[in-house]
Amino acid sequence: MSDSNIIPKWLSVGVIPLFNLFLAFCVSGLFIFLIGENPFKAISVMIKGSFYYPGAIGYTLYYTTNFIFTGLAVALAFHARLFNIGGEGQAYLGGLGVGLMCLIFDQYIAGFLVTILAILGSVIFGAVWGIIPGYLQAKRGSHIVITTIMFNFIAAALMVYLLVNVIIEPGQMSPETRDFATGVGLVQIHMLAKYLGLNVAMSPLNLSFGIALIVSIGFWFLVWRTKFGYEVRSLGHSETSAVYSGIKVSSTIIIVMAISGGLAGLVAVNELLGVHNKLLLGFTAGYGFTGIAVALMGRNHPFGIFLASLLFGALYQGGTELDFEFSSITREMVLLIQGLIILFSGALAYMLNPLVEKIYLKYYGNFNNA
Amino acid sequence: MRSSENKTGNETTVSLPVSTKLAIELKDITKRFGHVIANNDVNLKVESGTIHGIVGENGAGKSTLMNILFGLYKPDSGTIFLNEQSVEVNSPEKSIALGIGMVHQHFMLVPTFTVLENVMLGNEGSMFLKSGEESILNRLKGLSKNYGLDVDLEAIISDTPVGMQQRVEILKALNRGAKILILDEPTGVLTPQETIGLFDILRSLREQGVTIVLITHKLKEIMSITDTVSVMRGGKVVADFATKKTSSEELAENMVGRKVLLSIKKPASKVGKSILEVKDVSHDSKDGVNVLKDISFSLKEGEILGIAGVAGNGQSELLDILSGIEALQKGQITINDKPIFSHQEWNSKKARDFGIAHVPEDRHKRGLVLPFHNYENSILGYHRNDQYSSGFLMDKGKILNFTNELIQNFDVRPRSPSIISGKLSGGNQQKLVLAREIESKPKILLVGQPTRGVDIGAIERIYEDLMELKSKGTAILLVSVELDEIMSLSDRILVMNQGTIVGETSSSNATELDLGKMMSGLEQVREDRNE
Ligand SMILES: Nc1ncnc2c1ncn2[C@@H]1O[C@H](COP(=O)(O)OP(=O)(O)O)[C@@H](O)[C@H]1O
Ligand SMILES: [Mg+2]
């Protein structure tokens, strides 16, 4: 999973990812053509659907917010060479943190205080769901990939149990809690704009997006400017060198997983405090898993993750529009396109490197041999 | 198509008249790895029945050239001639069929098989092992006798010493009919006695008409055994000599491209009080093997204490314990009169706090984080120090200044604090590690294999730096498998064998032969003990 050291950066982080994306679109276009639709029309519908129609950008950025959180979560763990597949479960547990804080306190204290507690709750509960696999990896040698996958299942089962049997709104049929009290939650951007006298189309985009941007900057500082980040990166590149330099490997692993889980937990802030205003089943909708592709595509750097999140946000939003506009393009077809993009820019992200290396050397190789 | 001609040729041992017939000729061989041109238009001629040496610094392209000859790499361009006929060597199978044998730097033996089974591997002779075994057994006995290659055919490889394993590799090649034998750095793992044994074998092979190519970076070996020698530098063959007509100095000069000093001046330094006391330290490895037994010694200020020994006799573990990488299981370490007992907290951070700096044996695995920039590596292990940070944040400006100073003062090239350390040459990586550890102003410096994979130019510089540090009163513990290095740098020498200290001598009294005997565990000497 290393970048080539032969081809220059502008090729490896600029041109190649774009070309991968282009390939994904080509293959998707082929499928759309095969089911008898015009791929170019489909593309234009997708782009309009995610950026042009009223509220479209808001929807896109709302999805983007989720991907930033889960992408950063995966990326931080990556920096310590830990493969955190558990973003989904950690986000889910983050939801429990939000739900519990709101349900317990919203009758007693002011809405904005409850909101702050709920945000903390999302981070802490997500963190705990990261710490346990982290501990098991650090102290017991259980592989983090296996344990985080298991913890996704445990989280799902736990939430079903709690939402069906414990915190369901009494007298309700669907597995949801009651609505949080008014005044609890994050304000949506179109409301904020209205308050400022601007007219912005309605969308679920809310202040969580701002939190995501701030967290992204914080992430950069943490990883590249603090002693802790230095230790994390040393550990990720070479555990033996980390031991040599006196870094405590197991506590570093546990702290990384705590922060990673906490970041994933913030998805619940966007979803529950920003949109749904209650805790409900399945709100994580695969954001945690897609975060893996986002981190991979964004090369574990917050700016790259922002761009990748934007892409996936646009895909989610534009995909909904496709589904809506074409009778022959179903939800499943949209998922297929998303899958292709994940495949080409995530799993096959380095597929083209050897080829590009060869071509590059052929034309530029001789200049660099001095 | 393993030609029978080769095999019979081997057994009948015709003493070929040493004519000018060329066994090997390489013409205009070029091989690239990405940007690196490992071999650049290389031409090489080796006469039949001679021992030809190839010397060159690390990375000069020696191994690549031999791997091309052996069919492991395909050259980008160029031609190979064997016995003056153009051949296509595109796989090791092909080269073996053509009569080439290669003994790699790292042996390719199955440790759980017997010697015989290893020799047979890939050359079983028939579908049924038993019948193949008998014919091979007879042939091997002949080979062993002819070439003085003593081996116990029934022994399990993992139980045999390295010198023996090497002989098995040679036997393996000869058994397959090798008339050309390539040895890549064969003496790196041997004691001086084993090296002498190996050279005897090579000489008798030469007498029987086998052509030998010997790769080494030890000039002394070139001078003592080869007939002709080629010097490689930067992917090219820069000079060819008849060994008789050249000298170590001339070879060294060609290797580096400028004049070098091969001897070191030892500055007079005042030996002060004892600063490190190691008492009865024993250690078991993770798989329960006892790797250190009751190690005791002391180290004084302003002294270089050398630890000699064949690799793998406990030296690495000793360094790991003293530097805090491994816990102290049994025994006691006293640093500057402060004792550390076993099972007390002991780690790298604590060792650094006690003033112990460590240049580890493996700079890739330990001393550096290869993908890091130089400025990040220049503080590895010291990154918590206040001088590089304010609170949680690291101060990049200060770190860059410090790195610039380091690479100026210790001549790390290129002079760039922001280059990726993995891209530096071995010598410059080592200078960076040494610079960082010396700059921490340690009371005790632990040094493991300071010049492994380091070019001659950098070696000079590293020795100077160590000498200067010593003259300032720092205590230095030097572990090296290079006897020359130990003998020329140390004031006192300890010899380790199988996890114990088997001998101690002052360096002025030490001879290579004595040390060699101790290293092989034959003799226990502690002449300085009672003084
Ligand atoms: N398999 C390989 N891939 C990439 N680079 C290589 C490979 N093998 C050797 N090199 C590079 O080629 C050069 C020559 O290496 P080598 O032949 O091993 O030198 P030597 O044996 O003289 O020390 C070095 O710069 C080395 O890094
Ligand atoms: Mg080599």
Side-chain angles (χ1 to χ4, degrees):
Chain A
M1 228 165 283
S2 72
D3 281 330
S4 156
N5 55 10
I6 290 176
I7 48 182
K9 234 185 168 137
W10 62 268
L11 268 177
S12 65
V13 294
V15 176
I16 293 181
L18 283 179
F19 196 75
N20 280 327
L21 201 59
F22 175 72
L23 279 182
F25 276 116
C26 286
V27 179
S28 307
L30 191 70
F31 276 106
I32 291 171
F33 176 75
L34 284 177
I35 59 169
E37 296 288 349
N38 179 350
F40 296 102
K41 192 168 163 232
I43 285 272
S44 106
V45 167
M46 266 187 102
I47 293 176
K48 278 187 190 155
S50 47
F51 293 109
Y52 179 71
Y53 296 134
I57 293 187
Y59 267 96
T60 298
L61 292 181
Y62 148 71
Y63 289 120
T64 302
T65 309
N66 286 333
F67 294 130
I68 292 178
F69 289 137
T70 57
L72 291 178
V74 175
L76 184 72
F78 259 156
H79 278 291
R81 197 168 290 169
L82 294 167
F83 211 159
N84 180 10
I85 314 280
E88 194 74 9
Q90 290 145 13
Y92 220 167
L93 260 283
L96 184 60
V98 169
L100 289 182
M101 288 301 159
C102 293
L103 296 177
I104 292 170
F105 293 112
D106 67 354
Q107 303 302 318
Y108 307 107
I109 51 179
F112 81 95
L113 279 179
V114 177
T115 307
I116 292 173
L117 283 177
I119 294 175
L120 288 177
S122 77
V123 172
I124 292 169
F125 274 63
V128 168
W129 221 241
I131 287 175
I132 304 170
Y135 174 85
L136 291 172
Q137 168 81 66
K139 301 281 188 186
R140 294 282 174 272
S142 322
H143 202 286
I144 199 109
V145 170
I146 313 283
T147 45
T148 48
I149 289 175
M150 283 175 10
F151 267 65
N152 286 337
F153 287 111
I154 298 173
L158 178 69
M159 294 300 280
V160 169
Y161 170 77
L162 289 176
L163 277 169
V164 171
N165 298 304
V166 185
I167 48 179
I168 189 170
E169 180 175 9
Q172 256 279 0
M173 290 301 286
S174 57
E176 305 172 345
T177 64
R178 65 170 168 80
D179 283 352
F180 305 149
T182 36
V184 173
L186 292 170
V187 61
Q188 297 192 335
I189 299 296
H190 67 94
M191 300 293 283
L192 194 67
K194 199 164 150 196
Y195 181 76
L196 296 172
L198 300 167
N199 191 16
V200 171
M202 206 171 105
S203 77
L205 180 65
N206 60 79
L207 280 186
S208 305
F209 182 62
I211 297 180
L213 295 184
I214 294 168
V215 167
S216 295
I217 296 169
F219 180 98
W220 183 82
F221 261 97
L222 180 74
V223 172
W224 281 283
R225 281 293 174 270
T226 66
K227 293 180 203 174
F228 177 71
Y230 179 91
E231 300 197 338
V232 169
R233 287 182 298 122
S234 308
L235 177 61
H237 288 308
S238 165
E239 183 171 336
T240 42
S241 306
V243 170
Y244 161 81
S245 78
I247 291 167
K248 294 205 172 98
V249 174
S250 38
S251 56
T252 309
I253 288 178
I254 294 170
I255 297 171
V256 164
M257 283 306 292
I259 302 175
S260 178
L263 285 167
L266 284 169
V267 167
V269 172
N270 189 36
E271 288 293 324
L272 307 185
L273 292 176
V275 182
H276 298 294
N277 207 33
K278 62 185 155 202
L279 174 56
L280 68 172
L281 212 57
F283 73 89
T284 49
Y287 298 125
F289 293 121
T290 311
I292 300 167
V294 169
L296 214 55
M297 197 177 177
R299 306 290 158 110
N300 305 318
H301 189 284
F303 185 65
I305 286 169
F306 174 79
L307 292 180
S309 301
L310 196 61
L311 171 73
F312 278 96
L315 271 174
Y316 262 58
Q317 171 52 19
T320 333
E321 210 61 39
L322 264 189
D323 184 12
F324 194 70
E325 286 264 325
F326 295 83
S327 56
S328 52
I329 299 183
T330 58
R331 187 75 209 145
E332 284 68 37
M333 194 67 200
V334 173
L335 284 176
L336 176 76
I337 296 174
Q338 286 166 0
L340 282 169
I341 294 200
I342 294 178
L343 185 69
F344 276 90
S345 10
L348 302 180
Y350 296 93
M351 177 181 68
L352 289 175
N353 281 28
L355 183 71
V356 175
E357 251 166 47
K358 239 187 213 153
I359 297 173
Y360 178 79
L361 280 176
K362 194 162 164 196
Y363 291 101
Y364 297 98
N366 293 335
F367 299 116
N368 293 329
N369 279 325
Chain B
M1 268 252 318
R2 208 152 285 164
S3 73
S4 57
E5 190 192 280
N6 276 331
K7 282 177 192 166
T8 49
N10 213 329
E11 277 156 35
T12 48
T13 62
V14 244
S15 259
L16 286 174
V18 185
S19 66
T20 50
K21 195 166 153 50
L22 291 180
I24 307 167
E25 182 173 8
L26 302 176
K27 259 201 180 132
D28 304 327
I29 300 281
T30 296
K31 174 76 188 171
R32 290 164 184 270
F33 294 107
H35 279 320
V36 180
I37 305 189
N39 286 157
N40 189 357
D41 258 333
V42 172
N43 288 290
L44 186 79
K45 289 180 185 170
V46 181
E47 280 177 22
S48 187
T50 63
I51 299 182
H52 185 86
I54 299 183
V55 278
E57 299 196 304
N58 245 276
K62 309 177 295 284
S63 296
T64 304
L65 190 65
M66 289 305 114
N67 284 332
I68 287 173
L69 179 57
F70 191 58
L72 280 167
Y73 295 154
K74 188 178 173 306
D76 297 337
S77 62
T79 347
I80 300 173
F81 296 86
L82 290 182
N83 300 316
E84 305 185 346
Q85 275 171 355
S86 166
V87 290
E88 185 94 12
V89 193
N90 40 26
S91 70
E93 290 78 37
K94 184 77 186 290
S95 75
I96 290 168
L98 288 166
I100 302 175
M102 181 157 179
V103 177
H104 293 270
Q105 210 162 342
H106 304 282
F107 304 149
M108 316 252 172
L109 298 169
V110 183
T112 51
F113 276 16
T114 63
V115 170
L116 181 63
E117 284 166 330
N118 266 290
V119 174
M120 283 176 69
L121 197 64
N123 192 17
E124 291 84 357
S126 88
M127 207 172 82
F128 299 103
L129 280 179
K130 210 64 204 167
S131 61
E133 218 167 79
E134 271 157 30
S135 74
I136 286 180
L137 209 55
N138 285 330
R139 193 158 68 229
L140 287 184
K141 282 185 183 146
L143 284 173
S144 299
K145 205 166 77 218
N146 281 346
Y147 302 119
L149 272 162
D150 264 335
V151 289
D152 173 6
L153 292 170
E154 301 301 321
I156 305 282
I157 287 293
S158 57
D159 297 340
T160 60
V162 202
M164 167 89 95
Q165 294 181 16
Q166 194 167 52
R167 268 175 267 163
V168 175
E169 285 279 15
I170 296 173
L171 208 52
K172 212 165 93 181
L174 295 176
N175 178 49
R176 296 184 185 188
K179 295 291 289 167
I180 295 172
L181 190 62
I182 306 166
L183 299 117
D184 192 351
E185 306 266 4
T187 59
V189 289
L190 303 183
T191 62
Q193 276 76 10
E194 284 173 321
T195 302
I196 292 170
L198 171 70
F199 285 179
D200 285 342
I201 294 167
L202 295 186
R203 284 193 193 97
S204 80
L205 285 171
R206 172 176 57 187
E207 267 165 41
Q208 318 272 346
V210 177
T211 308
I212 294 167
V213 181
L214 175 73
I215 300 180
T216 178
H217 63 273
K218 296 179 185 168
L219 297 171
K220 218 162 47 179
E221 294 174 355
I222 291 287
M223 297 309 293
S224 79
I225 190 171
T226 63
D227 302 302
T228 48
V229 52
S230 299
V231 184
M232 288 191 75
R233 164 160 41 101
K236 291 185 174 161
V237 170
V238 291
D240 295 288
F241 297 104
T243 310
K244 281 197 200 89
K245 293 189 178 143
T246 184
S247 62
S248 293
E249 286 73 21
E250 190 177 24
L251 289 174
E253 205 177 314
N254 276 290
M255 277 165 72
V256 191
R258 62 178 173 81
K259 274 214 182 316
V260 282
L261 284 171
L262 290 177
S263 60
I264 315 150
K265 277 200 290 292
K266 264 193 213 172
S269 71
K270 289 188 294 291
V271 173
K273 68 175 172 75
S274 164
I275 188 158
L276 174 71
E277 296 277 352
V278 174
K279 200 162 161 256
D280 300 329
V281 168
S282 296
H283 195 82
D284 290 344
S285 71
K286 292 209 169 58
D287 25 309
V289 180
N290 182 220
V291 286
L292 289 180
K293 297 182 201 81
D294 297 327
I295 299 285
S296 299
F297 64 88
S298 72
L299 173 65
K300 300 184 187 66
E301 288 175 334
E303 172 188 54
I304 297 185
L305 176 61
I307 296 192
V310 179
N313 276 289
Q315 307 97 310
S316 308
E317 288 81 1
L318 180 61
L319 279 183
D320 282 354
I321 291 168
L322 294 178
S323 64
I325 288 172
E326 288 285 343
L328 178 60
Q329 291 174 352
K330 194 156 168 275
Q332 181 187 335
I333 305 171
T334 308
I335 303 150
N336 221 358
D337 299 328
K338 285 188 270 307
I340 308 287
F341 297 99
S342 56
H343 302 293
Q344 247 178 323
E345 193 198 351
W346 181 240
N347 54 43
S348 316
K349 185 172 174 298
K350 201 160 175 198
R352 282 199 184 79
D353 294 341
F354 269 88
I356 298 181
H358 180 202
V359 177
E361 292 184 311
D362 189 335
R363 57 182 168 269
H364 290 172
K365 252 177 78 188
R366 290 251 166 88
L368 295 169
V369 177
L370 289 180
F372 268 8
H373 303 272
N374 277 354
Y375 68 83
E376 290 169 304
N377 271 315
S378 73
I379 55 168
L380 188 69
Y382 304 95
H383 56 278
R384 299 173 207 84
N385 292 7
D386 293 336
Q387 70 190 103
Y388 310 120
S389 57
S390 38
F392 280 117
L393 294 186
M394 301 189 109
D395 190 329
K396 195 173 167 188
K398 280 187 195 160
I399 296 171
L400 280 174
N401 281 343
F402 172 71
T403 310
N404 269 320
E405 231 171 83
L406 272 192
I407 59 190
Q408 287 290 335
N409 294 347
F410 290 83
D411 192 29
V412 180
R413 288 178 219 189
R415 291 260 156 82
S416 159
S418 45
I419 195 174
I420 301 287
S421 302
K423 293 187 175 173
L424 298 180
S425 72
N428 283 301
Q429 289 177 344
Q430 190 72 327
K431 281 194 272 184
L432 182 65
V433 175
L434 185 67
R436 177 185 71 210
E437 298 306 314
I438 289 180
E439 266 322 290
S440 76
K441 311 248 169 6
K443 297 199 185 73
I444 300 165
L445 181 69
L446 310 173
V447 191
Q449 318 297 349
T451 57
R452 179 183 281 170
V454 168
D455 43 280
I456 292 191
I459 291 177
E460 250 185 315
R461 176 70 207 223
I462 288 170
Y463 288 170
E464 281 169 25
D465 289 336
L466 288 176
M467 284 304 172
E468 195 190 323
L469 190 67
K470 164 189 143 151
S471 66
K472 285 182 184 156
T474 305
I476 299 175
L477 185 73
L478 169 72
V479 169
S480 174
V481 293
E482 304 278 347
L483 254 192
D484 290 345
E485 182 164 283
I486 292 275
M487 288 172 57
S488 53
L489 290 176
S490 321
D491 302 302
R492 242 178 349 126
I493 300 172
L494 299 178
V495 182
M496 282 185 76
N497 180 270
Q498 297 188 23
T500 56
I501 293 178
V502 293
E504 173 172 349
T505 151
S506 72
S507 70
S508 47
N509 293 340
T511 69
E512 192 161 326
L513 230 55
D514 290 342
L515 289 174
K517 275 187 201 148
M518 290 190 245
M519 280 160 68
S520 54
L522 295 176
E523 251 172 65
Q524 298 241 353
V525 192
R526 274 221 160 178
E527 46 174 84
D528 292 12
R529 253 292 141 99
N530 307 320
E531 284 179 12

